[in-house]
């Protein structure tokens, strides 16, 4: 929890703070290790590209 002095300091600064909550995206670990993430459906699917 932030105290009153910290909150007052943050209000005087010339920038804005944002909280981002991604809903979907890609998680890449390394070569051949990519996953599609869907937060709303709570899924993590390995991305496989068929090169044939």
């Amino acid at each position: 929890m932030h105290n009153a002095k910290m909150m007052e300091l943050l209000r005087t600064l010339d920038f804005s703070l944002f909280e981002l909550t991604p809903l979907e995206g890609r998680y890449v670990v390394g070569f051949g290790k990519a996953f599609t993430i869907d937060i709303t459906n709570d899924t993590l699917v390995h991305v496989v590209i068929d090169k044939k």
Side-chain angles (χ1 to χ4, degrees):
M1 195 98 193
H2 298 292
N3 61 24
K5 284 185 177 183
M6 177 61 89
M7 294 309 291
E8 187 61 34
L9 174 67
L10 289 173
R11 286 187 187 101
T12 62
L13 297 176
D14 189 22
F15 67 92
S16 299
L17 296 175
F18 296 93
E19 179 179 352
L20 301 176
T21 306
L23 300 177
E24 60 183 34
R26 282 270 166 90
Y27 174 60
V28 179
V29 181
F31 182 76
K33 297 179 184 174
F35 301 88
T36 299
I37 300 171
D38 187 352
I39 301 297
T40 56
N41 294 326
D42 198 27
T43 59
L44 179 70
V45 179
H46 185 237
V47 177
V48 179
I49 298 174
D50 189 9
K51 301 262 183 170
K52 293 180 184 180

